[in-house]
């Protein structure tokens, strides 16, 4: 998870059995689709929380295609995912029954068959604010949308317009972005703060998001899920930068998390409004809450599932991320005991917990 400021007896037995089933399902072969859903493909846009390796093909320092990233992935391969294993989008496509892993669109080795079931266009370091991807030299949201248009043309050439339209119509579209706008951009660099108050900047980010949403709708997206911001003040790197004592006081920086909470409410209001306006056109536009379950994992009852909630598994866990988390870094033995893999991004265990917390939303989203 990327993010920036001045930069969620018998009952327990059943739950345990269910979690075991889900993890086995996520790791094993595809089983019958839940609700016999007709989802054809998944298309993903955003930042490092959903980038499976597009940045491998971009001239940027924001890459994760080296150890220890991927240490618990299939064959221990560092694919470019900024975590030890799978991303939430991998878990979702596996659960829905599309495929096991969602690949990066920029991988030149993808077959037409692989393309037909969906790809991620996301780029680590990106954001809704046009300035944010420029900071990191990564793929902007408008460029990600251009790649989607290019994707459609490639598919049309291979399988025809009618089949392509049928795939797009029944596909799910996922957007996970915005943290870098605040953590890497607004709160770290002075450029935006000179011109925008926090509330004004929240509106700028929201307006940029609305344009992305409208563009996706214009390109045929009808089932769109959007994640909110995480509790940004709980990211280990943010705690390190803003705590009065980065070693001894590792509690969340609440004022930064509050900014995310306020933005999330604005985002929900906008999504609800758009769903209301477009419901008669078969729209399914859904908000996915990652803030609440992450807070629970870090500050609530969920923290008992972890040994460490305030620093990452890689290196000291205080600041290392990206190239600072590298083959020479110390790495914890068991990533599943940590909420964060590096100082910004969640572990696969955290992504699994986020999936589980949002499964009712996902189930409703994929049903006809």
């Amino acid at each position: 998870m990327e993010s920036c400021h001045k930069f969620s007896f018998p009952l327990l037995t059943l739950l345990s059995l269910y979690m075991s089933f889900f993890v086995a399902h996520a790791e094993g072969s595809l089983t019958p689709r839940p609700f016999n859903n007709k989802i054809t493909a998944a298309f993903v846009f955003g930042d490092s929380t959903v980038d499976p390796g597009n940045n491998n093909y971009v001239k940027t320092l924001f890459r994760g295609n080296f150890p220890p990233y991927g240490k618990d992935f299939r064959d221990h391969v560092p694919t470019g995912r900024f975590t030890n294993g799978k991303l939430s989008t991998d878990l979702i496509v596996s659960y829905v029954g599309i495929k096991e892993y969602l690949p990066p669109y920029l991988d030149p080795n993808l077959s037409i068959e692989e393309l037909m079931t969906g790809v991620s266009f996301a780029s680590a370091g990106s954001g809704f604010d046009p300035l944010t991807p420029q900071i990191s030299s990564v793929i902007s949201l408008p460029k990600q949308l251009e790649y989607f248009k290019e994707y459609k043309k490639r598919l049309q050439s291979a399988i025809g317009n009618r089949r392509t339209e049928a795939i797009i119509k029944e596909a799910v579209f996922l957007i996970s972005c915005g943290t870098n706008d605040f953590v890497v951009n607004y709160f770290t660099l002075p450029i935006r703060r000179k011109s925008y108050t926090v509330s004004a900047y929240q509106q700028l980010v929201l307006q940029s998001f609305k344009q992305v949403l409208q563009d996706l709708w214009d390109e045929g997206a009808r089932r769109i899920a959007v994640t909110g911001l995480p509790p940004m003040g709980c990211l280990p790197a943010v705690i390190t930068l803003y705590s009065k004592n980065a070693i001894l006081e590792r509690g969340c920086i609440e004022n930064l998390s509050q900014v995310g909470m306020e933005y999330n409410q604005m985002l929900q209001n906008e999504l609800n409004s758009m769903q209301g306006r477009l419901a008669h056109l078969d729209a399914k536009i859904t908000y996915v809450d990652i803030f609440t379950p992450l807070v629970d994992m870090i500050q609530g009852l969920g923290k008992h599932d972890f040994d460490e909630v305030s620093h990452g598994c890689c290196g000291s866990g205080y600041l290392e991320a990206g190239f600072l988390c590298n083959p020479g870094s110390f790495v914890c033995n068991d990533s599943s005991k940590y909420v964060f893999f590096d100082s910004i991004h969640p572990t696969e265990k955290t992504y699994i917990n986020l999936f589980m917390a949002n499964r009712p939303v996902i189930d409703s989203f994929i049903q006809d």
Side-chain angles (χ1 to χ4, degrees):
M1 172 174 320
E2 298 170 279
S3 307
C4 104
H5 198 38
K6 191 180 175 176
F7 149 111
S8 191
F9 48 16
L11 182 59
L12 288 176
T13 302
L14 285 172
L15 184 58
S16 176
L17 287 171
Y18 185 78
M19 273 300 296
S20 298
F21 168 80
F22 172 72
V23 174
H25 171 73
E27 294 294 337
S29 59
L30 295 174
T31 55
R33 292 177 170 226
F35 316 111
N36 295 315
N37 73 82
K38 298 176 183 177
I39 303 302
T40 52
F43 302 107
V44 176
F45 305 82
D47 57 26
S48 63
T49 53
V50 288
D51 178 3
N54 282 308
N55 277 16
N56 300 350
Y57 309 97
V58 177
K59 292 182 179 179
T60 177
L61 292 175
F62 279 59
R63 293 184 180 183
N65 58 340
F66 43 79
Y69 293 111
K71 78 182 192 73
D72 301 309
F73 197 74
R74 181 180 59 188
D75 299 327
H76 313 291
V77 175
T79 60
R81 291 165 171 82
F82 283 80
T83 186
N84 60 299
K86 294 181 178 180
L87 299 173
S88 57
T89 39
D90 297 313
L91 301 172
I92 291 169
V93 296
S94 177
Y95 174 71
V96 172
I98 300 171
K99 55 176 134 191
E100 285 299 319
Y101 307 99
L102 195 70
Y105 174 67
L106 293 184
D107 183 346
N109 299 313
L110 294 183
S111 66
I112 289 298
E113 288 72 22
E114 185 78 84
L115 288 168
M116 287 172 62
T117 51
V119 290
S120 174
F121 301 93
S123 177
S126 198
F128 292 119
D129 180 348
L131 177 61
T132 303
Q134 294 179 32
I135 296 168
S136 309
S137 298
V138 296
I139 309 168
S140 67
L141 267 295
K143 183 63 177 179
Q144 292 179 35
L145 285 161
E146 284 185 32
Y147 279 137
F148 178 60
K149 295 175 184 178
E150 176 186 277
Y151 162 89
K152 288 171 63 178
K153 291 179 181 177
R154 289 175 64 183
L155 218 58
Q156 288 165 352
S157 297
I159 65 174
N161 290 355
R162 178 173 294 184
R163 289 183 67 189
T164 299
E165 289 176 6
I167 289 172
I168 302 301
K169 181 180 179 182
E170 298 296 338
V172 293
F173 290 77
L174 307 170
I175 304 172
S176 179
C177 201
T179 307
N180 294 311
D181 292 318
F182 293 92
V183 174
V184 175
N185 187 346
Y186 185 81
F187 289 118
T188 301
L189 303 177
I191 300 172
R192 291 305 195 203
R193 291 202 309 277
K194 287 181 178 179
S195 303
Y196 297 90
T197 62
V198 171
S199 59
Y201 188 71
Q202 289 170 327
Q203 285 292 339
L204 181 149
V205 173
L206 188 66
Q207 291 303 313
S208 297
F209 159 74
K210 288 168 63 177
Q211 186 60 57
V212 171
L213 199 62
Q214 184 62 55
D215 290 345
L216 279 176
W217 178 267
D218 293 342
E219 289 300 318
R222 292 299 177 265
R223 242 183 260 250
I224 308 170
V226 184
T227 64
L229 296 177
M232 298 183 291
C234 296
L235 303 179
V238 172
I239 295 172
T240 300
L241 292 171
Y242 296 102
S243 174
K244 293 179 181 178
N245 188 319
I247 304 298
L248 299 178
E249 299 181 23
R250 299 294 300 172
C252 297
I253 311 301
E254 297 299 342
N255 62 318
L256 273 73
S257 293
Q258 182 65 32
V259 171
M261 187 183 299
E262 293 168 356
Y263 173 83
N264 287 345
Q265 188 57 60
M266 296 161 61
L267 176 63
Q268 288 181 72
N269 293 341
E270 183 57 39
L271 294 175
N272 290 338
S273 175
M274 190 168 185
Q275 173 63 39
R277 294 196 310 269
L278 300 172
H280 68 291
L281 297 174
D282 297 325
K284 263 199 170 181
I285 301 172
T286 301
Y287 173 77
V288 179
D289 177 18
I290 62 172
F291 190 104
T292 304
L294 273 171
V295 167
D296 181 64
M297 283 182 253
I298 295 167
Q299 298 178 317
L301 294 176
K303 70 180 180 181
H304 300 300
D305 290 340
F306 300 92
D307 290 344
E308 183 50 61
V309 301
S310 66
H311 67 259
C313 165
C314 182
S316 68
Y318 291 166
L319 277 174
E320 294 90 343
F323 64 88
L324 294 177
C325 174
N326 56 58
S329 302
F330 166 82
V331 187
C332 68
N333 290 325
D334 187 354
S335 304
S336 70
K337 298 298 184 180
Y338 286 69
V339 172
F340 297 96
F341 185 65
D342 60 19
S343 67
I344 296 174
H345 304 96
T347 57
E348 179 183 88
K349 171 67 178 298
T350 301
Y351 281 127
I352 289 174
N353 286 7
L354 288 172
F355 172 91
M356 295 297 292
N358 281 288
R359 221 201 73 169
V361 174
I362 295 168
D363 286 348
S364 176
F365 183 62
I366 66 175
Q367 290 184 63
D368 288 329

